[in-house]
Amino acid sequence: MIIRQLALRQGRRSLAPQWRSARRWMSSEVDSISSSMQNSLNETHSIESMLNSLPGERVQPIDDETHQTADTENIGTVFAEFKRQRELQKPLGAIVTPHYEPHTLVTNPPRPSDISLELLLASQAHMGHSTSLWNPGNARYIFGIRDGIHIISLDQTAAHLRRAARVVTAVAERAGLILFVGTRPGQDRAVVKAAELSGGCHLFDRWVAGGITNGTQILGRGKVKVVDEFDQEVPGFEEQLVERASVKPDLVVCLNPMENYVLLHECALNNIPTIGIIDTNANPLWVTYPIPANDDSLRCVQVICGILGRAGEEGKTRRLAAAQAGNITFTPADGFVMPGEEKTEQQKLPRVLKLGASIEELEKQDAMGNRPLKKDPLPRNFIEGEVRERVPRFHDAKKDL
Amino acid sequence: MGVELRYGLRRALHSLRAPPTWQQRSCVASSHRTSRPSKAFSTSTSHRQEPFTAAPEINLSAENNIPILKRIRVVPASPSYFSGKPAFTDDLLALQALLRKYQTLPVVETGHAPRIAWRTFESYKSFLGSEPIKASKYQRLVAILHRLNHIHPSLMPQEVKDAMERYKREINPFANVAKPKPVDEWGRAMGLGRRKTSTARAWLVEGEGEVLVNGGSLAQYFGRLHDRESAVWALKATQRLDKYNVFALVRGGGVTGQAEALTLAVAKALLIHEPGLKPALRRAGCITRDPRKVERKKPGHLKARKMPTWVKR
């Protein structure tokens, strides 16, 4: 360790370009060149001799259990001194102009109010894919072609990102469960942070197929809890939780839709709105709220995920503030009775309607406030290669709750 | 809360409307009595009045008006709910966060950290319950633990110690160290060795190189030169043949087994005298017990593995 540091320090000095010698070389004086070479040779020899004189032995540990050695015994004080020195020296030197610090996108992500074309351009949100890989559905988001790749129009990106942020805020305000999904390597920290900010869930590993359509089997083991408007757990409902179906997200934010076909398909089948980063090669119809941007740049993905996480945080703050003022901003869970009480005959009826149920049965279910499970399929917006205006269907799944 | 309020209000209304009960009547009566001039200045309560506490103040804030069923919702207990293995994912995230927090602390050299036996994959799986975890995922977790364990022991934060405690095996196998055997009062060190079905006990004392096996000399007991050599190979390999006397008792097995059981016994006894010889003896092949034994005969086989000759019909 010591030897390596010494070699690095001394070697750097000896190898550094010496302007004086260079100038001498320019002046074409033969004597000076040979003397400078002699000098550097001497220096190298002196380093060599110094290295050879150093003992090559390692310090023997004095304690087998803790592996303390004579010189590491006081490592605590040495380290404290090192930290103190570092703090002392922090304000010294040149003032560094603001620059890109990659970790800040995760530790302190930007807010929806920070969305600007400069931010998006700096994070390479405009870089699309090779023109041959494009999906024509993205035509309206594409600004042009440069060096064989599509350039995404950043004003479209900003507008769509703002809309998505508003959606996330609104869902979080209504206590919707937001699931952030980013399954590419490196996206995990951004996804976890966004979920933490917005009080939602995260997924960075792999979507287990059937998590929504076959939730009882796939997620049945996962623990759920009953919380009140302040997100505090309410005890006493554990027995009633056992017979309930698994929890489904109310909004899914997918950072890489290309790899998550199964998830988005399941969301569409269950009428769960989705937000996704749509690169020029992705199908914009897979998600409800597309954000045209570069999904291959980690920086861009972290910016977008961070903004949506912050949007969720804002919604959550609003919800908690409303709860403090005594207002409930969400629809409470149905089908619960007070602990210790019996369920009424109506509540005991199955919530799932069988195929071929009569009109009377449907009306009866509607009167009880139970929604029929089968929904209308998603409207087909893509007709004969022409992209139609997508009607925002914000959270219509919640309307008939 | 709502229930309490309702109860309080009902009691208040009840006390306003209802005719006075016998208790109240008696209170009134006693107050009449106390208002007599003879006891006019008495402030003490009558013994008939029962002590009570007034109903709590009416809380007019809106939240108490909403019944609990109208403000509950069901949420996952863990943010990793949709990963299908929430407990494991939470563990992994917690350890990653811990490592990120203490990344800059000084570390000991690789391989110099205290040895810790982490939970086996099976034990961790049963510890979590029934989550479908793969061994490779658990390896990621162990890798983080390994790195955390390399933080310098004198600077190890309590938080890290607590976190590592969760993943340690209940019994630390590295703490199970054999008790060192001492040289007895007559300067003897005893070693026990086994090979095949033979057992050998050897006592080593400092001396001139005399060897007694079951009461006879080495040459008398072992006819083969090779066996004589292997019996005292531990001394020969370390050039201690003329420094110790050996007294050995050998039981069971054949000649080769007994000779090689002696090798192990003598080597172990020698280690008691000179523990520093262990690497040399290991290189000489004297420390490892040879586990090979005669394989048992199986039914349907002629010997351990030999099958009867195949006949067509």
Side-chain angles (χ1 to χ4, degrees):
Chain A
M1 191 72 176
I2 298 166
I3 296 171
R4 203 191 305 149
Q5 276 180 355
L6 183 82
L8 275 174
R9 220 177 282 155
Q10 302 291 334
R12 200 173 157 201
R13 194 186 293 166
S14 65
L15 291 172
Q18 296 195 346
W19 291 108
R20 208 185 297 163
S21 62
R23 231 179 287 135
R24 275 182 202 155
W25 183 72
M26 294 283 280
S27 68
S28 73
E29 279 176 36
V30 183
D31 289 351
S32 61
I33 295 171
S34 62
S35 68
S36 72
M37 274 185 70
Q38 192 59 44
N39 270 347
S40 62
L41 264 178
N42 284 346
E43 208 171 335
T44 320
H45 285 314
S46 70
I47 294 170
E48 225 167 64
S49 60
M50 196 172 169
L51 287 181
N52 289 338
S53 67
L54 283 170
E57 292 167 14
R58 267 176 46 187
V59 188
Q60 288 298 313
I62 54 174
D63 185 1
D64 277 349
E65 190 58 39
T66 59
H67 298 272
Q68 283 192 338
T69 54
D71 64 340
T72 57
E73 206 172 1
N74 55 354
I75 196 150
T77 51
V78 171
F79 185 64
E81 176 62 17
F82 159 70
K83 282 206 289 191
R84 199 181 67 85
Q85 287 291 336
R86 198 175 51 182
E87 283 304 309
L88 280 177
Q89 289 166 6
K90 215 178 227 176
L92 300 182
I95 296 163
V96 184
T97 49
H99 58 285
Y100 169 52
E101 288 166 321
H103 65 276
T104 52
L105 283 183
V106 174
T107 54
N108 183 22
R111 286 159 203 288
S113 56
D114 296 332
I115 299 174
S116 64
L117 298 197
E118 289 88 344
L119 174 70
L120 292 174
L121 189 72
S123 55
Q124 300 172 336
H126 60 293
M127 311 279 261
H129 275 272
S130 172
T131 49
S132 57
L133 297 172
W134 86 315
N135 186 317
N138 293 317
R140 48 195 280 210
Y141 308 131
I142 290 172
F143 179 76
I145 297 170
R146 184 180 171 133
D147 289 344
I149 65 163
H150 275 129
I151 302 297
I152 299 165
S153 175
L154 284 185
D155 39 5
Q156 291 274 352
T157 305
H160 282 81
L161 184 53
R162 284 198 192 100
R163 179 178 72 157
R166 273 205 311 280
V167 169
V168 172
T169 308
V171 171
E173 196 181 346
R174 287 156 179 77
L177 185 62
I178 306 169
L179 171 62
F180 288 88
V181 182
T183 51
R184 282 197 194 156
Q187 294 179 346
D188 47 355
R189 282 193 69 194
V191 162
V192 170
K193 179 72 179 180
E196 185 196 324
L197 286 174
S198 61
C201 289
H202 52 68
L203 180 77
F204 52 84
D205 198 3
R206 170 181 162 265
W207 172 255
V208 186
I212 292 173
T213 49
N214 189 19
T216 334
Q217 293 295 317
I218 307 287
L219 304 175
R221 282 185 294 257
K223 287 197 189 92
V224 289
K225 59 181 179 183
V226 171
V227 292
D228 61 6
E229 72 273 36
F230 300 110
D231 291 351
Q232 300 297 317
E233 191 173 352
V234 184
F237 291 97
E238 287 77 11
E239 284 175 19
Q240 297 175 57
L241 277 177
V242 174
E243 60 204 30
R244 285 182 80 89
S246 67
V247 179
K248 283 175 189 166
D250 295 308
L251 176 70
V252 173
V253 178
C254 185
L255 304 180
N256 54 337
M258 292 290 282
E259 285 87 15
N260 284 308
Y261 167 79
V262 180
L263 165 67
L264 296 173
H265 188 217
E266 283 183 36
C267 287
L269 288 175
N270 280 273
N271 225 3
I272 294 168
T274 47
I275 293 173
I277 301 180
I278 296 297
D279 212 333
T280 55
N281 62 341
N283 186 352
L285 296 182
W286 280 8
V287 293
T288 320
Y289 303 100
I291 302 169
N294 178 9
D295 68 348
D296 301 287
S297 154
L298 198 55
R299 187 173 167 183
C300 172
V301 163
Q302 283 178 341
V303 164
I304 290 173
C305 189
I307 286 170
L308 296 181
R310 285 289 192 195
E313 187 192 24
E314 197 192 328
K316 189 183 159 194
T317 319
R318 277 194 217 160
R319 171 168 61 82
L320 290 177
Q324 205 69 45
N327 300 322
I328 304 297
T329 53
F330 55 88
T331 325
D334 58 346
F336 278 110
V337 294
M338 285 304 284
E341 284 178 20
E342 283 286 308
K343 280 193 174 183
T344 58
E345 284 305 310
Q346 280 190 338
Q347 282 166 329
K348 276 181 188 167
L349 281 173
R351 291 173 43 134
V352 186
L353 274 185
K354 280 173 191 158
L355 276 177
S358 66
I359 301 291
E360 289 78 29
E361 267 183 275
L362 278 168
E363 280 171 353
K364 200 170 151 194
Q365 289 256 333
D366 276 349
M368 283 189 298
N370 285 349
R371 57 176 166 145
L373 230 72
K374 185 71 183 165
K375 291 276 180 181
D376 295 330
L378 277 178
R380 306 291 300 176
N381 285 359
F382 194 83
I383 298 165
E384 295 170 0
E386 178 203 353
V387 183
R388 284 197 183 175
E389 185 60 43
R390 178 176 277 278
V391 187
R393 289 179 290 105
F394 164 58
H395 225 218
D396 52 358
K398 280 255 164 184
K399 269 181 198 162
D400 52 352
L401 265 174
Chain B
M1 292 288 266
V3 175
E4 276 177 28
L5 175 77
R6 220 181 301 139
Y7 182 65
L9 281 173
R10 205 183 298 146
R11 277 192 64 178
L13 285 172
H14 186 70
S15 65
L16 282 175
R17 284 180 201 154
T21 57
W22 68 270
Q23 271 184 337
Q24 284 164 331
R25 243 177 265 142
S26 69
C27 289
V28 171
S30 66
S31 66
H32 277 302
R33 227 176 290 147
T34 48
S35 64
R36 282 176 194 165
S38 60
K39 285 182 180 179
F41 299 105
S42 168
T43 52
S44 64
T45 53
S46 165
H47 67 278
R48 285 191 191 177
Q49 285 180 333
E50 281 185 23
F52 67 95
T53 341
E57 285 176 19
I58 302 166
N59 191 346
L60 294 170
S61 69
E63 53 122 353
N64 282 344
N65 296 336
I66 308 169
I68 186 75
L69 288 184
K70 295 280 180 195
R71 52 196 174 90
I72 54 168
R73 59 204 169 91
V74 183
V75 292
S78 156
S80 316
Y81 178 74
F82 290 99
S83 66
K85 33 187 182 296
F88 169 76
T89 314
D90 286 348
D91 278 353
L92 182 68
L93 288 174
L95 282 184
Q96 280 175 344
L98 206 60
L99 179 55
R100 227 178 289 132
K101 189 173 172 187
Y102 295 114
Q103 221 167 13
T104 52
L105 285 181
V107 290
V108 293
E109 275 181 64
T110 317
H112 280 243
R115 288 187 80 183
I116 293 179
W118 306 113
R119 278 177 189 279
T120 56
F121 174 53
E122 291 304 322
S123 142
Y124 179 70
K125 249 167 79 168
S126 59
F127 175 64
L128 282 193
S130 55
E131 284 193 6
I133 316 158
K134 287 180 183 168
S136 59
K137 300 276 178 198
Y138 182 58
Q139 280 308 310
R140 280 181 67 190
L141 214 126
V142 171
I144 299 174
L145 287 169
H146 187 72
R147 168 64 182 75
L148 283 174
N149 188 33
H150 272 73
I151 296 175
H152 199 279
S154 64
L155 289 169
M156 180 77 82
Q158 189 59 40
E159 200 183 350
V160 178
K161 280 184 199 164
D162 294 344
M164 289 200 303
E165 207 55 48
R166 187 178 144 84
Y167 302 96
K168 280 179 188 173
R169 241 182 263 178
E170 274 94 356
I171 297 162
N172 181 12
F174 303 121
N176 185 13
V177 184
K179 240 192 311 186
K181 283 177 192 162
V183 180
D184 69 6
E185 54 198 295
W186 293 291
R188 299 178 305 185
M190 201 274 270
L192 180 77
R194 291 196 175 94
R195 167 88 171 93
K196 290 188 179 180
T197 52
S198 316
T199 312
R201 279 169 293 160
W203 285 265
L204 231 68
V205 284
E206 288 184 25
E208 292 79 41
E210 289 173 33
V211 181
L212 281 177
V213 181
N214 284 358
S217 74
L218 198 62
Q220 281 171 345
Y221 197 77
F222 292 116
R224 258 178 92 207
L225 191 65
H226 185 268
D227 289 341
R228 280 178 223 160
E229 198 166 56
S230 51
V232 290
W233 181 245
L235 295 171
K236 202 168 182 183
T238 53
Q239 284 140 19
R240 298 283 192 284
L241 209 49
D242 53 347
K243 301 222 168 48
Y244 292 97
N245 289 346
V246 181
F247 174 80
L249 294 176
V250 201
R251 298 278 178 272
V255 182
T256 313
Q258 289 190 342
E260 290 181 11
L262 256 179
T263 316
L264 190 59
V266 170
K268 280 185 180 174
L270 183 57
L271 275 182
I272 297 169
H273 281 287
E274 295 177 66
L277 286 179
K278 191 160 184 177
L281 286 173
R282 185 172 290 289
R283 262 178 272 127
C286 301
I287 293 188
T288 317
R289 157 81 155 101
D290 191 344
R292 291 174 295 174
K293 288 209 165 188
V294 174
E295 191 176 333
R296 66 152 287 184
K297 184 199 171 297
K298 280 99 186 164
H301 288 245
L302 294 178
K303 304 200 297 180
R305 301 191 181 179
K306 188 182 181 184
M307 290 294 281
T309 321
W310 184 74
V311 188
K312 196 171 181 183
R313 229 160 267 101

